Amino acid sequence: MENSRLITIQNCSVQDRYKVHLPRIDWNMEAGEAWLVTGPNGGGKASFLRGLAGEYEITPNENGKDGTLPLYSNVFSNSVAVVSLEAAAALIEEERARDESEILNKEDIGRTGRQYIAEVLGGSSRKNAPLPPIAARLDTMPEIKLCGVERILDRGLKHMSTGEIRRTLLCRALLSGCKLLILSDPFAGLDVDSRRILLEFFDTIVSKQISATGLSATFPRIIVSMERYHEIPGGINRVLEFTGKKISFCGTKEAFEKIAEARNEEKKKTEEQERKAFLETLERIRRESDALTAEAKQTPVPDSLIQFTNVNVGWGEHQVLVDLNWEVKKGVHWLLRGPNGSGKTTILELITGDNMQVFREDIKIFGRRRGSGETIWDIKKQLGIVSYRLHVEYRMVGGTDLQSVIISGFHDSIGLYEQASDFEIATARAWLALAGFGGREHETFSSLSYGEQRAVLILRAAVKSPRVLILDEPCHGLDENYRGKILDLLATIAGTGTTTLLHVTHDPSEVLDCEKHVLELHPGETPMYRIIEQQVY
C-alpha cells in the first residue's frame, strides 16, 4: 500500500513560531480513504488542519522513546485550499482593509464574487485590476452552477450573506486546481437548498475519492471537519478525533459510531444533573449581575421596541428588502428565517446601526426614529449582539484577553479601553467559569478556536441583561457541549421577562420554544415576507 500513501505524519508536532499547538501526531492518509476530522472546540483539530494547509508547520520531533522515527510527507503540499468560517472571516477582514469609501467619498463595493473567483484563473488581486477574459465565461462553468453562485457573481463580497460567502469560497477552491480541499463545518449557515447542493457535491467527489487507487486524479481529494457529528456525508469512511490537543480516535467510521453511541449513553446518565447545576449557577450569576444594571432597567421602555414602516433597502439594482412592515414588542421573541441572501442579516444591521441605510428609512428603535438625535451608543447600550460582523471585528483585536472581552459587553466596545470595576471583573470570571473557561481569563481571544470565540461572544452579549438580544446564527462553530449550554442560556434569558430575543438560524433544532413569532423572508415574491404567529417545522 506504500504506493497509495498520500500523507504520512509520524512522530511530528504542529507549531507556529510562537508555540507548539500539538506535541505529537501520528496519522496516515491512503488513496481510497475519505476522512472526517472531529472533536470538541479547542481539542486540536483546527491546529491539525492548519498544519495540513501550510499555515502551521508540521515538524519532525526527536526520536521517541518508543523508537518511532519522525517522518512527514504530503503529496498535496502547496496545493491545498481551505473553506471554513475562519477563511470567510479572514476574507471579510481583507475587504475591510481594502475599503476606500472615505477616500472616494462614495461607497467602495470592493471585489465582486466574479473578481474574487477569477483571481485563481489568471486574474489579479490588485485593486481595480482588469479581469482576465475567462471571467466573462464564469456563468457557464459547472462549478459555478454546482455552488449556486451564478446570481451573486457581480455582487460585492461585503454585501453577501455568510452562506453566500461560504459558497463563493467553495467555488473558488474548486476552480483553483488545488488537489486537496479542507472543508471545515461546511453546512454552518447554509439554507436548505445550499445544504442539498453541498451534499450532492460530496456524494459525487467522495465516491470518486474512495474508488481511486493511485495518486493521480483529475478531481480534488476532500477532508471534512465538523464540530458536531451530524449530517455527515455518506461516503466518509474514516474518522480522526482530537481531544485535549491529541488524537483520541483514529479508525473506521463504523468503529467511531459505536464509541460515540456508548459515550452518548454514558452522557445521558449525568446530563440532566449537569444541566440542572448549570441553570442554577446561571440564575445566581444573573441575579448578581442585575445589580449592576438595575438603574438602567428603571428607565421606562416603550411596549414597541422596534418598528419598520415600508422599509426598502438595496444596493444598485439589487433590492434586499421591499416595503417591509414589522414590529417587535416587549417580551415577544422572534425567529427570522429565509434563504441565504434574503435579508435576515440586513434587518439586524439596520437595528444595530451597522447599515447606514437605516437613516433614510422609517425605522424606530425603542420608540425613537433613527436619525432623530440619538447616538449609536444610546441604542447599543440596550442591545446585546452576537453576529458574524461582531466576530470579525473582535478577530481584528484578537490580543484582548477573555476577561476583557466579557467586560467590554458592559461598555459596548470592541476591546476594553476603560478601567474595569471589581464587580465587572468578578462577574466576567463567573460567566467564563459557567461556560467552562474557568482559569483561562487571561488567554487571548485569538488563541481560541473559532467555536470557543463564538461562545465567549455570546457571554459578552448576555452579561448586561440587554433589552434586546440579537442573535445571528449564534451556534456557528459550537460543538455539542457548548451548543447545549448556549441554548439553555438563551432560553433562560428569554424567560426572565427583561430581554427580548431576535434569532436567526437555519437549524430547526436550535429554534427555542419561546420563539412563537416568525418573520419569514421570500426574496423575489410580492410581498417579500410573511409574518407567522406560530411557526411549524
Side-chain angles (χ1 to χ4, degrees):
M1 290 292 291
E2 191 63 34
N3 62 346
S4 66
R5 182 69 56 83
L6 303 175
I7 302 175
T8 298
I9 305 177
Q10 185 173 288
N11 189 14
C12 292
S13 61
V14 177
Q15 56 188 286
D16 60 16
R17 59 180 176 172
Y18 301 108
K19 63 182 289 188
V20 174
H21 295 274
L22 301 173
R24 169 85 185 244
I25 299 294
D26 294 278
W27 176 74
N28 301 316
M29 178 178 177
E30 306 276 353
E33 294 178 341
W35 284 86
L36 167 73
V37 181
T38 190
N41 292 137
K45 61 184 177 298
S47 297
F48 172 71
L49 295 175
R50 294 183 77 169
L52 290 183
E55 298 172 24
Y56 288 166
E57 291 186 12
I58 297 180
T59 306
N61 292 326
E62 296 181 2
N63 290 350
K65 295 180 180 179
D66 59 2
T68 304
L69 296 176
L71 177 64
Y72 174 54
S73 65
N74 186 347
V75 302
F76 304 114
S77 293
N78 303 317
S79 189
V80 182
V82 179
V83 180
S84 64
L85 292 166
E86 290 93 335
L91 177 57
I92 295 303
E93 289 175 35
E94 185 180 345
E95 283 301 290
R96 289 193 176 190
R98 294 162 60 106
D99 193 327
E100 296 181 350
S101 297
E102 293 185 4
I103 298 173
L104 299 173
N105 201 27
K106 64 178 183 179
E107 184 184 23
D108 177 6
I109 70 167
R111 284 176 293 179
T112 64
R114 189 181 301 273
Q115 290 171 308
Y116 180 64
I117 292 171
E119 288 175 8
V120 298
L121 298 171
S124 170
S125 61
R126 288 187 297 106
K127 191 85 173 178
N128 301 319
L131 291 172
I134 197 173
R137 303 196 303 274
L138 285 181
D139 311 66
T140 66
M141 294 183 176
E143 293 85 355
I144 297 292
K145 298 183 184 299
L146 175 66
C147 297
V149 298
E150 58 266 36
R151 295 182 180 179
I152 59 174
L153 281 173
D154 297 308
R155 190 182 306 171
L157 294 172
K158 65 177 69 175
H159 293 317
M160 291 184 186
S161 70
T162 306
E164 289 171 335
I165 288 175
R166 299 284 301 286
R167 297 206 309 266
T168 300
L169 281 168
L170 177 60
C171 187
R172 173 173 153 130
L174 288 173
L175 289 169
S176 68
C178 288
K179 298 299 184 182
L180 176 64
L181 303 186
I182 296 175
L183 307 182
S184 180
D185 255 345
F187 298 105
L190 297 186
D191 57 35
V192 173
D193 287 341
S194 297
R195 288 177 184 230
R196 175 183 52 76
I197 290 170
L198 193 53
L199 279 169
E200 290 175 356
F201 162 74
F202 276 134
D203 288 342
T204 301
I205 299 297
V206 172
S207 63
K208 292 181 180 179
Q209 183 167 328
I210 291 176
S211 61
T213 57
L215 300 182
S216 61
T218 58
F219 56 88
R221 313 273 179 163
I222 293 176
I223 293 177
V224 182
S225 172
M226 301 187 77
E227 306 292 346
R228 297 163 54 205
Y229 194 79
H230 76 303
E231 228 172 0
I232 305 300
I236 293 294
N237 58 15
R238 297 289 188 278
V239 176
L240 180 66
E241 181 190 54
F242 282 88
T243 306
K245 307 298 183 183
K246 61 183 180 180
I247 294 174
S248 50
F249 177 85
C250 181
T252 66
K253 178 183 177 182
E254 291 75 17
F256 182 78
E257 286 177 334
K258 290 180 180 179
I259 292 174
E261 184 178 351
R263 288 176 183 169
N264 288 336
E265 289 299 319
E266 189 64 29
K267 183 179 178 182
K268 287 178 183 178
K269 297 177 182 178
T270 58
E271 192 171 42
E272 190 55 37
Q273 183 178 352
E274 291 175 355
R275 183 171 182 267
K276 182 180 179 182
F278 173 84
L279 293 175
E280 288 175 350
T281 304
L282 171 61
E283 181 60 25
R284 176 182 58 78
I285 294 172
R286 192 189 64 78
R287 287 197 306 267
E288 294 172 355
S289 299
D290 280 352
L292 185 66
T293 54
E295 183 178 346
K297 286 182 171 56
Q298 293 174 5
T299 304
V301 175
D303 185 56
S304 179
L305 301 177
I306 299 163
Q307 188 170 12
F308 284 43
T309 304
N310 294 326
V311 170
N312 291 270
V313 173
W315 297 276
E317 298 180 357
H318 178 65
Q319 282 296 109
V320 180
L321 303 178
V322 180
D323 295 330
L324 174 60
N325 290 282
W326 176 54
E327 184 178 23
V328 176
K329 292 190 175 182
K330 184 167 54 179
V332 178
H333 309 292
W334 284 83
L335 172 70
L336 279 66
R337 70 185 182 202
N340 293 140
S342 60
K344 302 181 297 298
T345 296
T346 297
I347 290 172
L348 299 184
E349 291 184 346
L350 289 169
I351 297 169
T352 62
D354 292 315
N355 187 313
M356 291 299 102
Q357 295 190 49
V358 64
F359 297 109
R360 74 180 193 192
E361 299 298 321
D362 188 354
I363 298 176
K364 293 180 180 177
I365 311 293
F366 305 118
R368 298 182 62 182
R369 179 165 177 169
R370 291 304 310 270
S372 61
E374 85 290 353
T375 68
I376 188 66
W377 305 112
D378 292 331
I379 298 297
K380 288 197 171 182
K381 71 182 179 182
Q382 301 187 72
L383 301 177
I385 303 168
V386 180
S387 68
Y388 191 63
R389 176 188 285 267
L390 178 75
H391 200 150
V392 169
E393 289 176 342
Y394 245 106
R395 283 169 59 91
M396 298 174 77
V397 291
T400 306
D401 68 27
L402 305 189
Q403 178 174 292
S404 297
V405 173
I406 302 299
I407 294 172
S408 72
F410 289 118
H411 302 276
D412 307 303
S413 58
I414 306 299
L416 186 62
Y417 308 99
E418 301 178 34
Q419 184 69 37
S421 68
D422 291 341
F423 184 89
E424 289 173 337
I425 292 172
T427 301
R429 291 186 176 184
W431 279 93
L432 287 169
L434 175 72
F437 292 95
R440 301 175 63 184
E441 58 269 12
H442 294 304
E443 291 185 22
T444 61
F445 186 77
S446 60
S447 70
L448 303 185
S449 70
Y450 188 93
E452 289 177 309
Q453 290 176 355
R454 181 55 64 101
V456 168
L457 290 179
I458 292 172
L459 300 180
R460 174 192 179 275
V463 70
K464 65 178 180 180
S465 298
R467 296 291 186 187
V468 176
L469 184 54
I470 293 175
L471 305 160
D472 194 356
E473 298 281 6
C475 293
H476 263 185
L478 298 185
D479 62 27
E480 203 62 50
N481 178 51
Y482 276 126
R483 179 175 173 272
K485 286 184 176 181
I486 292 304
L487 292 176
D488 281 342
L489 168 64
L490 297 178
T492 301
I493 290 171
T496 63
T498 60
T499 298
T500 300
L501 305 186
L502 301 182
H503 185 191
V504 171
T505 180
H506 287 287
D507 189 339
S509 69
E510 294 172 4
V511 177
L512 302 174
D513 291 340
C514 64
E515 293 165 355
K516 301 298 185 183
H517 292 69
V518 181
L519 177 61
E520 188 173 82
L521 303 182
H522 295 265
E525 298 183 13
T526 303
M528 50 72 65
Y529 67 95
R530 297 172 195 161
I531 292 177
I532 304 170
E533 295 301 321
Q534 294 285 339
Q535 87 264 17
V536 178
Y537 269 95

